[in-house]
Amino acid sequence: MTHTDLAAKRYAAFLFDMDGTLLSSIASAERVWAEWAREHGLDVDAFLPTIHGIQAVETIRRLALPGVDPVAEAARITRAEIENVQDVEAIAGAAAFLDNLPAERWAIVTSAPRALAESRLAAAGLPLPSVLITAEDVERSKPAPDAYHIAAGRLQVDAGDCLVFEDAPAGIDAGVAAGASVVVVTAVQSHPTPGQHPAIASYEGLQAVADDGGVGVQGVPGRASVSSQTAPAQS
C-alpha cells in the first residue's frame, strides 16, 4: 500500500496499538524493566529490546528463569509501571487526530493490562476509547491476530476492512494476520528493519476524516509525510 493508497482509501475503522503508536512510554517502561533485569542478573542492553509489543508475562515466560513465577513478576512490573508514568507523552499530533474520529470508528488494541493502559492514556492526555482491548481480553497476545479480531468485532466491522496503526514487529505481524491494512508509526523506533508497509513519523499534518464511506487519512502538504516503510519500530 502506497502513500496515495493510504490517503485515498476509506476504512471501516482505525485500530491503534498504544505504546509507541499513540504515546511514548519507552523511557518509563525501560526504566522499570532495566531495574528488574538487573535484579535477575540479565544483560540489560540485550534484554530491553525484547520487551516491546508483547505482554509482560510472555516476556518473562520466554526467559524460563529458575524459580521465577511469570504471572507474579508481571504483576509486580505492571504495578511499578503504573507508578512511573510521569514521562509518558502523546506522539505528536495524536490527540488532534483522534478528536476527528467518531467513537464507533476506532479502538485501541494493546498488550498492556487495562489498569496500565488507562494510566498511560491519562498521563498522555489522550481519550479513553469506547473499545479498549487489553491483555485481559485475549488468550493469545500479539503477534497472534486475536486482539485485532476482537476489537473489530466490538466495533461491528470486519478486521479486513480496518487500518491498523502499529510500531513493533509483533503488532505489525498481528495486524497482517488479522487481514487488516497496516501503517507503521516510526516516532520511537530505534532499530530499523526492512518492511513493506507505509510509515508515518507522527500524526502532525495528518487529519482523520469520516464520512458515509468510512474513515480515512488526509495529509497536509509541507507538514507531514507518509512514506514507504523501511523500519518497523521498537515500542
Side-chain angles (χ1 to χ4, degrees), residues 10-16 22 93-108 127-130 155 163 165 203 207-211 214-218:
R10 290 291 183 270
Y11 302 89
F14 289 163
L15 308 178
F16 297 89
L22 287 175
F97 190 82
L98 295 177
D99 280 347
N100 279 345
L101 289 171
E104 71 276 10
R105 292 290 189 174
W106 70 285
I108 291 177
L128 190 67
S130 60
L155 292 173
L163 178 63
F165 291 74
Y203 300 88
Q207 182 178 13
V209 293
D211 54 34
V215 288
V217 179
Q218 179 176 297

PDB file of all heavy atoms in Angstrom, residues 10-16 22 93-108 127-130 155 163 165 203 207-211 214-218:
ATOM      1  N   ARG A  10     -10.940   4.496   2.101  1.00  0.00           N
ATOM      2  CA  ARG A  10     -11.754   4.593   3.304  1.00  0.00           C
ATOM      3  C   ARG A  10     -11.784   3.223   3.972  1.00  0.00           C
ATOM      4  O   ARG A  10     -11.805   2.190   3.312  1.00  0.00           O
ATOM      5  CB  ARG A  10     -13.175   5.050   2.972  1.00  0.00           C
ATOM      6  CG  ARG A  10     -13.262   6.503   2.531  1.00  0.00           C
ATOM      7  CD  ARG A  10     -12.964   7.448   3.690  1.00  0.00           C
ATOM      8  NE  ARG A  10     -13.114   8.844   3.331  1.00  0.00           N
ATOM      9  CZ  ARG A  10     -12.141   9.600   2.847  1.00  0.00           C
ATOM     10  NH1 ARG A  10     -10.938   9.085   2.663  1.00  0.00           N
ATOM     11  NH2 ARG A  10     -12.349  10.879   2.560  1.00  0.00           N
ATOM     12  N   TYR A  11     -11.793   3.244   5.286  1.00  0.00           N
ATOM     13  CA  TYR A  11     -11.765   2.017   6.077  1.00  0.00           C
ATOM     14  C   TYR A  11     -12.979   1.973   6.999  1.00  0.00           C
ATOM     15  O   TYR A  11     -13.544   3.008   7.352  1.00  0.00           O
ATOM     16  CB  TYR A  11     -10.482   1.954   6.912  1.00  0.00           C
ATOM     17  CG  TYR A  11      -9.227   2.021   6.084  1.00  0.00           C
ATOM     18  CD1 TYR A  11      -8.653   3.252   5.771  1.00  0.00           C
ATOM     19  CD2 TYR A  11      -8.622   0.869   5.596  1.00  0.00           C
ATOM     20  CE1 TYR A  11      -7.506   3.324   4.994  1.00  0.00           C
ATOM     21  CE2 TYR A  11      -7.472   0.937   4.824  1.00  0.00           C
ATOM     22  CZ  TYR A  11      -6.932   2.168   4.518  1.00  0.00           C
ATOM     23  OH  TYR A  11      -5.800   2.240   3.745  1.00  0.00           O
ATOM     24  N   ALA A  12     -13.340   0.768   7.416  1.00  0.00           N
ATOM     25  CA  ALA A  12     -14.465   0.628   8.336  1.00  0.00           C
ATOM     26  C   ALA A  12     -14.125   1.229   9.693  1.00  0.00           C
ATOM     27  O   ALA A  12     -14.995   1.788  10.376  1.00  0.00           O
ATOM     28  CB  ALA A  12     -14.838  -0.847   8.485  1.00  0.00           C
ATOM     29  N   ALA A  13     -12.849   1.118  10.093  1.00  0.00           N
ATOM     30  CA  ALA A  13     -12.421   1.655  11.395  1.00  0.00           C
ATOM     31  C   ALA A  13     -10.904   1.705  11.443  1.00  0.00           C
ATOM     32  O   ALA A  13     -10.211   1.037  10.664  1.00  0.00           O
ATOM     33  CB  ALA A  13     -12.948   0.791  12.537  1.00  0.00           C
ATOM     34  N   PHE A  14     -10.382   2.496  12.379  1.00  0.00           N
ATOM     35  CA  PHE A  14      -8.959   2.531  12.685  1.00  0.00           C
ATOM     36  C   PHE A  14      -8.736   1.771  13.988  1.00  0.00           C
ATOM     37  O   PHE A  14      -9.441   2.001  14.980  1.00  0.00           O
ATOM     38  CB  PHE A  14      -8.459   3.962  12.857  1.00  0.00           C
ATOM     39  CG  PHE A  14      -8.396   4.772  11.581  1.00  0.00           C
ATOM     40  CD1 PHE A  14      -8.300   6.158  11.656  1.00  0.00           C
ATOM     41  CD2 PHE A  14      -8.414   4.179  10.340  1.00  0.00           C
ATOM     42  CE1 PHE A  14      -8.225   6.927  10.506  1.00  0.00           C
ATOM     43  CE2 PHE A  14      -8.353   4.932   9.173  1.00  0.00           C
ATOM     44  CZ  PHE A  14      -8.255   6.313   9.257  1.00  0.00           C
ATOM     45  N   LEU A  15      -7.736   0.909  14.003  1.00  0.00           N
ATOM     46  CA  LEU A  15      -7.366   0.158  15.199  1.00  0.00           C
ATOM     47  C   LEU A  15      -5.937   0.532  15.575  1.00  0.00           C
ATOM     48  O   LEU A  15      -5.018   0.324  14.789  1.00  0.00           O
ATOM     49  CB  LEU A  15      -7.482  -1.352  14.940  1.00  0.00           C
ATOM     50  CG  LEU A  15      -8.814  -1.850  14.365  1.00  0.00           C
ATOM     51  CD1 LEU A  15      -8.769  -3.355  14.128  1.00  0.00           C
ATOM     52  CD2 LEU A  15      -9.976  -1.484  15.284  1.00  0.00           C
ATOM     53  N   PHE A  16      -5.757   1.105  16.754  1.00  0.00           N
ATOM     54  CA  PHE A  16      -4.462   1.623  17.166  1.00  0.00           C
ATOM     55  C   PHE A  16      -3.818   0.762  18.250  1.00  0.00           C
ATOM     56  O   PHE A  16      -4.457   0.456  19.268  1.00  0.00           O
ATOM     57  CB  PHE A  16      -4.608   3.032  17.754  1.00  0.00           C
ATOM     58  CG  PHE A  16      -5.112   4.074  16.808  1.00  0.00           C
ATOM     59  CD1 PHE A  16      -6.479   4.306  16.675  1.00  0.00           C
ATOM     60  CD2 PHE A  16      -4.235   4.852  16.058  1.00  0.00           C
ATOM     61  CE1 PHE A  16      -6.964   5.280  15.822  1.00  0.00           C
ATOM     62  CE2 PHE A  16      -4.708   5.832  15.199  1.00  0.00           C
ATOM     63  CZ  PHE A  16      -6.077   6.045  15.083  1.00  0.00           C
ATOM     64  N   LEU A  22       0.470   5.581  19.777  1.00  0.00           N
ATOM     65  CA  LEU A  22      -0.268   6.780  20.176  1.00  0.00           C
ATOM     66  C   LEU A  22       0.479   7.581  21.236  1.00  0.00           C
ATOM     67  O   LEU A  22       0.302   8.788  21.352  1.00  0.00           O
ATOM     68  CB  LEU A  22      -1.651   6.406  20.710  1.00  0.00           C
ATOM     69  CG  LEU A  22      -2.672   5.948  19.673  1.00  0.00           C
ATOM     70  CD1 LEU A  22      -3.948   5.486  20.379  1.00  0.00           C
ATOM     71  CD2 LEU A  22      -2.993   7.049  18.675  1.00  0.00           C
ATOM     72  N   GLY A  93       0.747  15.138  17.525  1.00  0.00           N
ATOM     73  CA  GLY A  93      -0.448  15.198  16.689  1.00  0.00           C
ATOM     74  C   GLY A  93      -1.476  14.130  16.961  1.00  0.00           C
ATOM     75  O   GLY A  93      -2.570  14.155  16.370  1.00  0.00           O
ATOM     76  N   ALA A  94      -1.189  13.186  17.871  1.00  0.00           N
ATOM     77  CA  ALA A  94      -2.106  12.064  18.088  1.00  0.00           C
ATOM     78  C   ALA A  94      -3.457  12.515  18.642  1.00  0.00           C
ATOM     79  O   ALA A  94      -4.512  12.027  18.221  1.00  0.00           O
ATOM     80  CB  ALA A  94      -1.478  11.032  19.023  1.00  0.00           C
ATOM     81  N   ALA A  95      -3.441  13.437  19.612  1.00  0.00           N
ATOM     82  CA  ALA A  95      -4.692  13.862  20.234  1.00  0.00           C
ATOM     83  C   ALA A  95      -5.630  14.504  19.215  1.00  0.00           C
ATOM     84  O   ALA A  95      -6.832  14.200  19.171  1.00  0.00           O
ATOM     85  CB  ALA A  95      -4.404  14.839  21.374  1.00  0.00           C
ATOM     86  N   ALA A  96      -5.102  15.377  18.388  1.00  0.00           N
ATOM     87  CA  ALA A  96      -5.930  16.043  17.378  1.00  0.00           C
ATOM     88  C   ALA A  96      -6.436  15.041  16.348  1.00  0.00           C
ATOM     89  O   ALA A  96      -7.584  15.142  15.880  1.00  0.00           O
ATOM     90  CB  ALA A  96      -5.131  17.149  16.693  1.00  0.00           C
ATOM     91  N   PHE A  97      -5.605  14.071  15.994  1.00  0.00           N
ATOM     92  CA  PHE A  97      -6.011  13.048  15.026  1.00  0.00           C
ATOM     93  C   PHE A  97      -7.195  12.252  15.565  1.00  0.00           C
ATOM     94  O   PHE A  97      -8.183  12.018  14.859  1.00  0.00           O
ATOM     95  CB  PHE A  97      -4.828  12.138  14.732  1.00  0.00           C
ATOM     96  CG  PHE A  97      -5.033  11.193  13.579  1.00  0.00           C
ATOM     97  CD1 PHE A  97      -4.845  11.616  12.268  1.00  0.00           C
ATOM     98  CD2 PHE A  97      -5.418   9.876  13.789  1.00  0.00           C
ATOM     99  CE1 PHE A  97      -5.035  10.752  11.197  1.00  0.00           C
ATOM    100  CE2 PHE A  97      -5.617   9.006  12.739  1.00  0.00           C
ATOM    101  CZ  PHE A  97      -5.422   9.441  11.433  1.00  0.00           C
ATOM    102  N   LEU A  98      -7.129  11.852  16.823  1.00  0.00           N
ATOM    103  CA  LEU A  98      -8.212  11.069  17.429  1.00  0.00           C
ATOM    104  C   LEU A  98      -9.489  11.883  17.586  1.00  0.00           C
ATOM    105  O   LEU A  98     -10.591  11.333  17.513  1.00  0.00           O
ATOM    106  CB  LEU A  98      -7.769  10.538  18.793  1.00  0.00           C
ATOM    107  CG  LEU A  98      -6.622   9.530  18.801  1.00  0.00           C
ATOM    108  CD1 LEU A  98      -6.261   9.158  20.234  1.00  0.00           C
ATOM    109  CD2 LEU A  98      -6.964   8.287  17.993  1.00  0.00           C
ATOM    110  N   ASP A  99      -9.340  13.180  17.802  1.00  0.00           N
ATOM    111  CA  ASP A  99     -10.512  14.036  18.015  1.00  0.00           C
ATOM    112  C   ASP A  99     -11.479  14.018  16.843  1.00  0.00           C
ATOM    113  O   ASP A  99     -12.680  14.251  17.012  1.00  0.00           O
ATOM    114  CB  ASP A  99     -10.068  15.485  18.270  1.00  0.00           C
ATOM    115  CG  ASP A  99      -9.619  15.704  19.706  1.00  0.00           C
ATOM    116  OD1 ASP A  99      -9.891  14.819  20.548  1.00  0.00           O
ATOM    117  OD2 ASP A  99      -8.984  16.740  19.980  1.00  0.00           O
ATOM    118  N   ASN A 100     -10.978  13.741  15.642  1.00  0.00           N
ATOM    119  CA  ASN A 100     -11.826  13.755  14.454  1.00  0.00           C
ATOM    120  C   ASN A 100     -12.525  12.426  14.186  1.00  0.00           C
ATOM    121  O   ASN A 100     -13.280  12.316  13.217  1.00  0.00           O
ATOM    122  CB  ASN A 100     -10.993  14.126  13.213  1.00  0.00           C
ATOM    123  CG  ASN A 100     -10.783  15.624  13.089  1.00  0.00           C
ATOM    124  OD1 ASN A 100     -11.452  16.414  13.745  1.00  0.00           O
ATOM    125  ND2 ASN A 100      -9.848  16.005  12.250  1.00  0.00           N
ATOM    126  N   LEU A 101     -12.249  11.432  15.019  1.00  0.00           N
ATOM    127  CA  LEU A 101     -12.805  10.099  14.773  1.00  0.00           C
ATOM    128  C   LEU A 101     -14.075   9.871  15.583  1.00  0.00           C
ATOM    129  O   LEU A 101     -14.079  10.047  16.800  1.00  0.00           O
ATOM    130  CB  LEU A 101     -11.776   9.030  15.134  1.00  0.00           C
ATOM    131  CG  LEU A 101     -10.580   8.917  14.200  1.00  0.00           C
ATOM    132  CD1 LEU A 101      -9.534   7.969  14.789  1.00  0.00           C
ATOM    133  CD2 LEU A 101     -11.012   8.417  12.825  1.00  0.00           C
ATOM    134  N   PRO A 102     -15.165   9.440  14.939  1.00  0.00           N
ATOM    135  CA  PRO A 102     -16.364   9.052  15.686  1.00  0.00           C
ATOM    136  C   PRO A 102     -16.043   7.878  16.614  1.00  0.00           C
ATOM    137  O   PRO A 102     -15.214   7.026  16.297  1.00  0.00           O
ATOM    138  CB  PRO A 102     -17.342   8.617  14.584  1.00  0.00           C
ATOM    139  CG  PRO A 102     -16.819   9.239  13.323  1.00  0.00           C
ATOM    140  CD  PRO A 102     -15.333   9.295  13.471  1.00  0.00           C
ATOM    141  N   ALA A 103     -16.668   7.838  17.770  1.00  0.00           N
ATOM    142  CA  ALA A 103     -16.359   6.826  18.783  1.00  0.00           C
ATOM    143  C   ALA A 103     -16.489   5.404  18.253  1.00  0.00           C
ATOM    144  O   ALA A 103     -15.741   4.501  18.664  1.00  0.00           O
ATOM    145  CB  ALA A 103     -17.270   7.017  19.995  1.00  0.00           C
ATOM    146  N   GLU A 104     -17.439   5.202  17.332  1.00  0.00           N
ATOM    147  CA  GLU A 104     -17.682   3.848  16.809  1.00  0.00           C
ATOM    148  C   GLU A 104     -16.751   3.468  15.680  1.00  0.00           C
ATOM    149  O   GLU A 104     -16.868   2.382  15.100  1.00  0.00           O
ATOM    150  CB  GLU A 104     -19.131   3.727  16.344  1.00  0.00           C
ATOM    151  CG  GLU A 104     -19.477   4.511  15.071  1.00  0.00           C
ATOM    152  CD  GLU A 104     -19.809   5.965  15.304  1.00  0.00           C
ATOM    153  OE1 GLU A 104     -19.599   6.454  16.440  1.00  0.00           O
ATOM    154  OE2 GLU A 104     -20.291   6.614  14.351  1.00  0.00           O
ATOM    155  N   ARG A 105     -15.779   4.339  15.368  1.00  0.00           N
ATOM    156  CA  ARG A 105     -14.888   4.091  14.232  1.00  0.00           C
ATOM    157  C   ARG A 105     -13.434   3.869  14.628  1.00  0.00           C
ATOM    158  O   ARG A 105     -12.559   3.805  13.781  1.00  0.00           O
ATOM    159  CB  ARG A 105     -14.958   5.279  13.248  1.00  0.00           C
ATOM    160  CG  ARG A 105     -16.287   5.426  12.530  1.00  0.00           C
ATOM    161  CD  ARG A 105     -16.510   4.335  11.523  1.00  0.00           C
ATOM    162  NE  ARG A 105     -17.686   4.600  10.673  1.00  0.00           N
ATOM    163  CZ  ARG A 105     -18.028   3.855   9.642  1.00  0.00           C
ATOM    164  NH1 ARG A 105     -17.318   2.797   9.333  1.00  0.00           N
ATOM    165  NH2 ARG A 105     -19.100   4.165   8.933  1.00  0.00           N
ATOM    166  N   TRP A 106     -13.159   3.759  15.955  1.00  0.00           N
ATOM    167  CA  TRP A 106     -11.773   3.498  16.337  1.00  0.00           C
ATOM    168  C   TRP A 106     -11.700   2.758  17.658  1.00  0.00           C
ATOM    169  O   TRP A 106     -12.621   2.799  18.469  1.00  0.00           O
ATOM    170  CB  TRP A 106     -10.956   4.789  16.397  1.00  0.00           C
ATOM    171  CG  TRP A 106     -11.271   5.731  17.526  1.00  0.00           C
ATOM    172  CD1 TRP A 106     -12.366   6.551  17.642  1.00  0.00           C
ATOM    173  CD2 TRP A 106     -10.489   5.954  18.706  1.00  0.00           C
ATOM    174  NE1 TRP A 106     -12.300   7.273  18.810  1.00  0.00           N
ATOM    175  CE2 TRP A 106     -11.165   6.944  19.484  1.00  0.00           C
ATOM    176  CE3 TRP A 106      -9.277   5.438  19.174  1.00  0.00           C
ATOM    177  CZ2 TRP A 106     -10.667   7.394  20.702  1.00  0.00           C
ATOM    178  CZ3 TRP A 106      -8.775   5.894  20.393  1.00  0.00           C
ATOM    179  CH2 TRP A 106      -9.467   6.859  21.131  1.00  0.00           C
ATOM    180  N   ALA A 107     -10.581   2.068  17.838  1.00  0.00           N
ATOM    181  CA  ALA A 107     -10.334   1.316  19.065  1.00  0.00           C
ATOM    182  C   ALA A 107      -8.841   1.301  19.337  1.00  0.00           C
ATOM    183  O   ALA A 107      -8.027   1.538  18.443  1.00  0.00           O
ATOM    184  CB  ALA A 107     -10.861  -0.118  18.935  1.00  0.00           C
ATOM    185  N   ILE A 108      -8.494   1.028  20.577  1.00  0.00           N
ATOM    186  CA  ILE A 108      -7.097   0.804  20.949  1.00  0.00           C
ATOM    187  C   ILE A 108      -6.923  -0.666  21.287  1.00  0.00           C
ATOM    188  O   ILE A 108      -7.748  -1.254  22.002  1.00  0.00           O
ATOM    189  CB  ILE A 108      -6.685   1.679  22.140  1.00  0.00           C
ATOM    190  CG1 ILE A 108      -6.635   3.158  21.718  1.00  0.00           C
ATOM    191  CG2 ILE A 108      -5.327   1.250  22.692  1.00  0.00           C
ATOM    192  CD1 ILE A 108      -6.304   4.119  22.842  1.00  0.00           C
ATOM    193  N   PRO A 127      -7.694  10.448  24.918  1.00  0.00           N
ATOM    194  CA  PRO A 127      -9.018   9.970  25.337  1.00  0.00           C
ATOM    195  C   PRO A 127      -9.061   8.455  25.507  1.00  0.00           C
ATOM    196  O   PRO A 127      -8.326   7.715  24.850  1.00  0.00           O
ATOM    197  CB  PRO A 127      -9.925  10.411  24.178  1.00  0.00           C
ATOM    198  CG  PRO A 127      -9.018  10.454  22.990  1.00  0.00           C
ATOM    199  CD  PRO A 127      -7.696  10.925  23.510  1.00  0.00           C
ATOM    200  N   LEU A 128      -9.932   8.023  26.391  1.00  0.00           N
ATOM    201  CA  LEU A 128     -10.192   6.599  26.562  1.00  0.00           C
ATOM    202  C   LEU A 128     -11.241   6.189  25.530  1.00  0.00           C
ATOM    203  O   LEU A 128     -12.341   6.750  25.511  1.00  0.00           O
ATOM    204  CB  LEU A 128     -10.711   6.337  27.977  1.00  0.00           C
ATOM    205  CG  LEU A 128     -10.819   4.883  28.429  1.00  0.00           C
ATOM    206  CD1 LEU A 128      -9.433   4.274  28.556  1.00  0.00           C
ATOM    207  CD2 LEU A 128     -11.555   4.814  29.767  1.00  0.00           C
ATOM    208  N   PRO A 129     -10.925   5.250  24.659  1.00  0.00           N
ATOM    209  CA  PRO A 129     -11.891   4.893  23.614  1.00  0.00           C
ATOM    210  C   PRO A 129     -13.041   4.059  24.158  1.00  0.00           C
ATOM    211  O   PRO A 129     -12.946   3.464  25.245  1.00  0.00           O
ATOM    212  CB  PRO A 129     -11.035   4.069  22.638  1.00  0.00           C
ATOM    213  CG  PRO A 129     -10.015   3.428  23.515  1.00  0.00           C
ATOM    214  CD  PRO A 129      -9.694   4.454  24.580  1.00  0.00           C
ATOM    215  N   SER A 130     -14.104   3.985  23.393  1.00  0.00           N
ATOM    216  CA  SER A 130     -15.232   3.144  23.797  1.00  0.00           C
ATOM    217  C   SER A 130     -14.867   1.672  23.707  1.00  0.00           C
ATOM    218  O   SER A 130     -15.432   0.840  24.423  1.00  0.00           O
ATOM    219  CB  SER A 130     -16.455   3.437  22.924  1.00  0.00           C
ATOM    220  OG  SER A 130     -16.173   3.184  21.560  1.00  0.00           O
ATOM    221  N   LEU A 155     -16.554  -3.323  17.390  1.00  0.00           N
ATOM    222  CA  LEU A 155     -16.969  -2.161  16.593  1.00  0.00           C
ATOM    223  C   LEU A 155     -17.969  -2.556  15.512  1.00  0.00           C
ATOM    224  O   LEU A 155     -18.443  -1.710  14.750  1.00  0.00           O
ATOM    225  CB  LEU A 155     -15.747  -1.504  15.941  1.00  0.00           C
ATOM    226  CG  LEU A 155     -14.758  -0.808  16.878  1.00  0.00           C
ATOM    227  CD1 LEU A 155     -13.526  -0.354  16.104  1.00  0.00           C
ATOM    228  CD2 LEU A 155     -15.403   0.380  17.593  1.00  0.00           C
ATOM    229  N   LEU A 163      -7.854  -0.294   9.195  1.00  0.00           N
ATOM    230  CA  LEU A 163      -6.469   0.143   9.101  1.00  0.00           C
ATOM    231  C   LEU A 163      -5.878   0.085  10.502  1.00  0.00           C
ATOM    232  O   LEU A 163      -6.381   0.709  11.429  1.00  0.00           O
ATOM    233  CB  LEU A 163      -6.365   1.564   8.551  1.00  0.00           C
ATOM    234  CG  LEU A 163      -4.945   2.149   8.445  1.00  0.00           C
ATOM    235  CD1 LEU A 163      -4.097   1.337   7.468  1.00  0.00           C
ATOM    236  CD2 LEU A 163      -4.995   3.620   8.010  1.00  0.00           C
ATOM    237  N   PHE A 165      -2.770   0.808  13.063  1.00  0.00           N
ATOM    238  CA  PHE A 165      -1.607   1.652  13.317  1.00  0.00           C
ATOM    239  C   PHE A 165      -0.735   0.924  14.333  1.00  0.00           C
ATOM    240  O   PHE A 165      -1.182   0.651  15.449  1.00  0.00           O
ATOM    241  CB  PHE A 165      -2.034   3.015  13.873  1.00  0.00           C
ATOM    242  CG  PHE A 165      -2.761   3.895  12.898  1.00  0.00           C
ATOM    243  CD1 PHE A 165      -4.083   3.629  12.550  1.00  0.00           C
ATOM    244  CD2 PHE A 165      -2.136   4.993  12.322  1.00  0.00           C
ATOM    245  CE1 PHE A 165      -4.774   4.444  11.658  1.00  0.00           C
ATOM    246  CE2 PHE A 165      -2.807   5.815  11.427  1.00  0.00           C
ATOM    247  CZ  PHE A 165      -4.124   5.537  11.085  1.00  0.00           C
ATOM    248  N   TYR A 203       1.704  12.101  13.782  1.00  0.00           N
ATOM    249  CA  TYR A 203       0.384  12.458  13.246  1.00  0.00           C
ATOM    250  C   TYR A 203       0.310  13.938  12.863  1.00  0.00           C
ATOM    251  O   TYR A 203      -0.737  14.398  12.411  1.00  0.00           O
ATOM    252  CB  TYR A 203      -0.707  12.145  14.268  1.00  0.00           C
ATOM    253  CG  TYR A 203      -0.755  10.682  14.643  1.00  0.00           C
ATOM    254  CD1 TYR A 203       0.041  10.191  15.684  1.00  0.00           C
ATOM    255  CD2 TYR A 203      -1.568   9.786  13.956  1.00  0.00           C
ATOM    256  CE1 TYR A 203       0.016   8.851  16.025  1.00  0.00           C
ATOM    257  CE2 TYR A 203      -1.597   8.445  14.291  1.00  0.00           C
ATOM    258  CZ  TYR A 203      -0.797   7.983  15.327  1.00  0.00           C
ATOM    259  OH  TYR A 203      -0.810   6.655  15.667  1.00  0.00           O
ATOM    260  N   GLN A 207      -4.777  14.337   9.168  1.00  0.00           N
ATOM    261  CA  GLN A 207      -6.118  14.524   9.723  1.00  0.00           C
ATOM    262  C   GLN A 207      -6.958  13.292   9.426  1.00  0.00           C
ATOM    263  O   GLN A 207      -6.952  12.772   8.304  1.00  0.00           O
ATOM    264  CB  GLN A 207      -6.778  15.765   9.112  1.00  0.00           C
ATOM    265  CG  GLN A 207      -8.156  16.062   9.678  1.00  0.00           C
ATOM    266  CD  GLN A 207      -8.746  17.327   9.082  1.00  0.00           C
ATOM    267  OE1 GLN A 207      -8.247  17.856   8.091  1.00  0.00           O
ATOM    268  NE2 GLN A 207      -9.819  17.819   9.675  1.00  0.00           N
ATOM    269  N   ALA A 208      -7.647  12.817  10.429  1.00  0.00           N
ATOM    270  CA  ALA A 208      -8.603  11.738  10.220  1.00  0.00           C
ATOM    271  C   ALA A 208      -9.886  12.334   9.660  1.00  0.00           C
ATOM    272  O   ALA A 208     -10.358  13.367  10.136  1.00  0.00           O
ATOM    273  CB  ALA A 208      -8.890  11.019  11.529  1.00  0.00           C
ATOM    274  N   VAL A 209     -10.433  11.702   8.636  1.00  0.00           N
ATOM    275  CA  VAL A 209     -11.676  12.162   8.038  1.00  0.00           C
ATOM    276  C   VAL A 209     -12.699  11.041   8.108  1.00  0.00           C
ATOM    277  O   VAL A 209     -12.365   9.871   7.960  1.00  0.00           O
ATOM    278  CB  VAL A 209     -11.466  12.619   6.576  1.00  0.00           C
ATOM    279  CG1 VAL A 209     -10.603  13.873   6.528  1.00  0.00           C
ATOM    280  CG2 VAL A 209     -10.831  11.513   5.736  1.00  0.00           C
ATOM    281  N   ALA A 210     -13.943  11.397   8.367  1.00  0.00           N
ATOM    282  CA  ALA A 210     -15.024  10.420   8.470  1.00  0.00           C
ATOM    283  C   ALA A 210     -16.186  10.863   7.610  1.00  0.00           C
ATOM    284  O   ALA A 210     -16.579  12.035   7.633  1.00  0.00           O
ATOM    285  CB  ALA A 210     -15.468  10.262   9.920  1.00  0.00           C
ATOM    286  N   ASP A 211     -16.722   9.933   6.827  1.00  0.00           N
ATOM    287  CA  ASP A 211     -17.898  10.224   6.019  1.00  0.00           C
ATOM    288  C   ASP A 211     -18.690   8.937   5.850  1.00  0.00           C
ATOM    289  O   ASP A 211     -18.405   7.928   6.522  1.00  0.00           O
ATOM    290  CB  ASP A 211     -17.508  10.841   4.668  1.00  0.00           C
ATOM    291  CG  ASP A 211     -16.498   9.989   3.899  1.00  0.00           C
ATOM    292  OD1 ASP A 211     -16.563   8.742   4.001  1.00  0.00           O
ATOM    293  OD2 ASP A 211     -15.656  10.561   3.175  1.00  0.00           O
ATOM    294  N   GLY A 214     -16.753   5.700   5.369  1.00  0.00           N
ATOM    295  CA  GLY A 214     -15.881   5.179   6.407  1.00  0.00           C
ATOM    296  C   GLY A 214     -14.943   6.247   6.920  1.00  0.00           C
ATOM    297  O   GLY A 214     -15.269   7.433   6.917  1.00  0.00           O
ATOM    298  N   VAL A 215     -13.754   5.839   7.355  1.00  0.00           N
ATOM    299  CA  VAL A 215     -12.748   6.774   7.856  1.00  0.00           C
ATOM    300  C   VAL A 215     -11.496   6.677   7.009  1.00  0.00           C
ATOM    301  O   VAL A 215     -11.165   5.616   6.463  1.00  0.00           O
ATOM    302  CB  VAL A 215     -12.406   6.513   9.339  1.00  0.00           C
ATOM    303  CG1 VAL A 215     -13.550   6.941  10.234  1.00  0.00           C
ATOM    304  CG2 VAL A 215     -12.063   5.048   9.578  1.00  0.00           C
ATOM    305  N   GLY A 216     -10.804   7.810   6.883  1.00  0.00           N
ATOM    306  CA  GLY A 216      -9.597   7.842   6.074  1.00  0.00           C
ATOM    307  C   GLY A 216      -8.575   8.791   6.660  1.00  0.00           C
ATOM    308  O   GLY A 216      -8.784   9.414   7.694  1.00  0.00           O
ATOM    309  N   VAL A 217      -7.436   8.903   5.968  1.00  0.00           N
ATOM    310  CA  VAL A 217      -6.337   9.759   6.388  1.00  0.00           C
ATOM    311  C   VAL A 217      -6.116  10.823   5.326  1.00  0.00           C
ATOM    312  O   VAL A 217      -5.997  10.513   4.138  1.00  0.00           O
ATOM    313  CB  VAL A 217      -5.038   8.958   6.577  1.00  0.00           C
ATOM    314  CG1 VAL A 217      -3.884   9.887   6.987  1.00  0.00           C
ATOM    315  CG2 VAL A 217      -5.226   7.857   7.608  1.00  0.00           C
ATOM    316  N   GLN A 218      -6.069  12.055   5.773  1.00  0.00           N
ATOM    317  CA  GLN A 218      -5.824  13.163   4.868  1.00  0.00           C
ATOM    318  C   GLN A 218      -4.553  13.875   5.298  1.00  0.00           C
ATOM    319  O   GLN A 218      -4.384  14.203   6.469  1.00  0.00           O
ATOM    320  CB  GLN A 218      -7.010  14.135   4.909  1.00  0.00           C
ATOM    321  CG  GLN A 218      -6.877  15.356   4.017  1.00  0.00           C
ATOM    322  CD  GLN A 218      -8.147  16.194   4.055  1.00  0.00           C
ATOM    323  OE1 GLN A 218      -9.220  15.738   3.654  1.00  0.00           O
ATOM    324  NE2 GLN A 218      -8.036  17.413   4.575  1.00  0.00           N
TER     325      GLN A 218
END
